[in-house]
Each structure stands twice: as structure tokens, then as C-alpha cells.
Amino acid sequence: MAEASASTNPDRHFVVLCHRGRFDGNFPLDDLTQGSMDMKVRCIQTSLFFSYGVRKDTSVSLLHIPSGRALTVRGDRARLLAPNERRIAEITRRSLCRVPMPGMAGMPVQDLDETQLQAAESVSGLAESFASAQRRKQTRHDKTKFEELQRQCQAPQMAKSCGESCGFFISDAASVADVVVQPPAGQLLPSKSVGQVLRVLLVEDGAEWNEVITASRLEGVRQIVVILGDNVGLRQEEDSALAALDCVRVRLGRVPLLTSHCIVIVHHMLDLLLPLPAYLTKDVRVHATDD
């Protein structure tokens, strides 16, 4: 497989369109399936990490479609990260909580008011009354716990352990085009001043990767943006918006894959075609060493 010219070493930016869950930081670290945070965290993990460190030329944006909130993580600014999912989730949660979602509209579960509770009691009897009271108690407990977490994350002393100081950037009211073309200033890696931007949309009905993404196609490219959907897939309006951005539609074979797995394969395919920074290849370990 031919390699692109040695002068070409484009930045990589992965954009994942997330349709499920919440994106305000209100999720437990012990159960990342809540809010589909497990998928989101794995996308950060597979975008940024190689076996012995972080890819400095890569960034990843998670765009939460229901709220319009985007989280961009830059490899060249990443601090305190480790490849395990819990650590990534911890910094993600702090970063999301540190920037309150505008209005928090529809995000925290609201308490049942007294009228609703009385109606439930009168209709369904004592058992339903007890269940309603328990739900109200749990809701208030969860809400109080989340508000306390927000206060802790917004404290000045937390600034160095999350958010921009760790390479995590939050923006609200973001559209698909905003995140794909240019997230807010400072969030993307500093690209070269000349060259093309290649935007690749991974879809199940696209052309084969090997037929489209070749060494000659990557000549003169300064940035590669790869857009992926989650397990919901692309909605029609998102597909139309991306078509207007001249995205190249490709697929990674005939078998649909998990989003995080697609990211690993894309990295591998690009690594075969592009010259690589020395830090990615200099530490080749044949045998394990004793700690």
C-alpha cells in the first residue's frame, strides 16, 4: 500500500453524532450505560489513545443532538487522562458539570408535585401511593446529589482537574455544521495554513474505504474529519446537512460495526497511508518487562 508524501501529516478530527441519553454530567461512574455514556467514553478512548500514550494530532467531538451540546477533546491538550473508561468518564463528568447547560431545560428529572401525588393516591390506592412517595423521595435525592456535584465541579480549585485545562472543551447551541466545519475557536488542533480538508462520512451504503481513501487522495490534505453516527444512525436532516458540506460517503466493509470499533479501524487505515510522528512508532516492545 503506497504512502502519502512525507510532507503530508494531516490532523485527524472525529465527530460522533449522539442521539441518546443526556449530556449535563448527571450520570453515575458505576453505571456508564445510563445516558449512553459508555459509548461516548469509548469513542474518546479509541480516538485519542494508542498503546503507549495519546495521539497528539487527533481530536474528537461528541455532539449531543437533543441538546445541541458539543464536547471536544484535544489530544495535544489532554491532561490527567488514562485509557480506562472510568477515568475518562470522571473527567468528562466534571467538565460537563462545570459548564451548566443553558436553562437545564428538560434535563434534571423534576419532582412530582403534590397534586400529581394526590391524584395517584386516589386512583390507584395505597400501594400506588407508597410507590409514588418512594419515587418522589428518590427523585429529590438524585436532584440534590447532582446539584451538589455541580457545585463541587464549579469550585475554583477544580479548574485544573477538568475542562479546558485537561483538553476538554464544551460548547452549547452547536449544529452539525458547526462541529464538522469549525468548532468554537481554540477547540481544534492548529492545522496548517494551506491544504485541503477532507470530510469523510461513515455510512453503511457508502463506497468502499480502500477504493476512495488512497495515498493519492490524501496528497495535500491538512485535516481529515471523520463523521460517525451512534447506534441510532443518521437522521435525514443530518445526512442532508453533511451532504451540503461535500462529505465523502464511505463504509468499512459490508458488516456494520460499533462506532468505537470504526474509529480504531479508521486510525489503522490512515496509519498505513500516512507518515507518522516518531513518538507513535519509536517505542516498539517485543517482550514485556518487569515493573
Side-chain angles (χ1 to χ4, degrees), residues 5-275:
S5 126
S7 62
T8 304
N9 186 19
D11 298 335
R12 305 177 190 184
H13 181 209
F14 292 91
V15 177
V16 182
L17 307 183
C18 306
H19 299 85
R20 289 182 174 167
R22 54 198 300 155
F23 219 35
D24 57 356
N26 189 5
F27 62 87
L29 295 177
D30 293 331
D31 183 9
L32 296 181
T33 60
Q34 293 192 31
S36 297
M37 289 307 302
D38 52 346
M39 185 277 293
K40 299 179 179 75
V41 165
R42 289 187 193 116
C43 288
I44 296 174
Q45 177 195 60
T46 53
S47 295
L48 296 184
F49 282 95
F50 68 107
S51 188
Y52 305 130
V54 173
R55 291 178 179 263
K56 303 298 184 183
D57 63 347
T58 301
S59 59
V60 54
S61 292
L62 307 179
L63 174 59
H64 185 240
I65 299 295
S67 66
R69 166 163 281 200
L71 167 67
T72 298
V73 188
R74 284 177 46 170
D76 67 329
R77 295 276 298 273
R79 289 181 56 255
L80 306 180
L81 272 183
N84 68 82
E85 293 177 10
R86 185 182 177 92
R87 183 57 173 166
I88 298 171
E90 184 179 14
I91 298 179
T92 298
R93 184 171 74 162
R94 291 177 188 168
S95 301
L96 292 172
C97 286
R98 189 165 178 80
V99 183
M101 191 169 287
M104 300 298 290
M107 303 308 289
V109 180
Q110 300 300 318
D111 294 341
L112 293 172
D113 60 30
E114 293 300 326
T115 302
Q116 291 173 308
L117 183 58
Q118 291 172 6
E121 293 173 355
S122 61
V123 172
S124 303
L126 184 60
E128 181 62 27
S129 171
F130 178 76
S132 297
Q134 290 296 103
R135 286 196 299 270
R136 181 176 64 177
K137 182 179 179 180
Q138 184 63 48
T139 298
R140 286 177 175 170
H141 171 76
D142 292 345
K143 184 178 180 181
T144 300
K145 188 175 180 180
F146 178 52
E147 290 171 347
E148 176 58 28
L149 175 63
Q150 285 183 306
R151 283 192 291 270
Q152 292 174 2
C153 293
Q154 292 165 18
Q157 60 268 26
M158 291 292 290
K160 294 184 178 180
S161 61
C162 64
E164 296 185 10
S165 66
C166 291
F168 284 63
F169 297 81
I170 307 291
S171 58
D172 288 298
S175 68
V176 173
D178 291 335
V179 178
V180 171
V181 175
Q182 179 63 56
Q187 293 194 12
L188 276 186
L189 300 174
S191 299
K192 291 84 177 172
S193 58
V194 295
Q196 301 175 345
V197 175
L198 175 62
R199 301 187 181 106
V200 178
L201 174 61
L202 292 189
V203 289
E204 295 178 17
D205 62 348
E208 294 296 339
W209 175 280
N210 286 336
E211 297 174 1
V212 178
I213 310 301
T214 62
S216 59
R217 179 67 182 86
L218 295 175
E219 290 286 347
V221 171
R222 63 179 171 85
Q223 184 184 67
I224 301 168
V225 182
V226 181
I227 305 103
L228 311 92
D230 56 8
N231 56 332
V232 172
L234 290 178
R235 302 193 190 282
Q236 181 60 51
E237 59 272 20
E238 296 158 7
D239 204 347
S240 299
L242 292 166
L245 298 176
D246 295 325
C247 294
V248 180
R249 298 171 65 90
V250 300
R251 69 178 186 177
L252 297 174
R254 295 180 296 168
V255 179
L257 303 172
L258 299 180
T259 304
S260 58
H261 293 184
C262 289
I263 293 172
V264 174
I265 294 173
V266 167
H267 267 314
H268 173 69
M269 300 301 287
L270 291 176
D271 288 346
L272 293 175
L273 291 172
L274 296 169

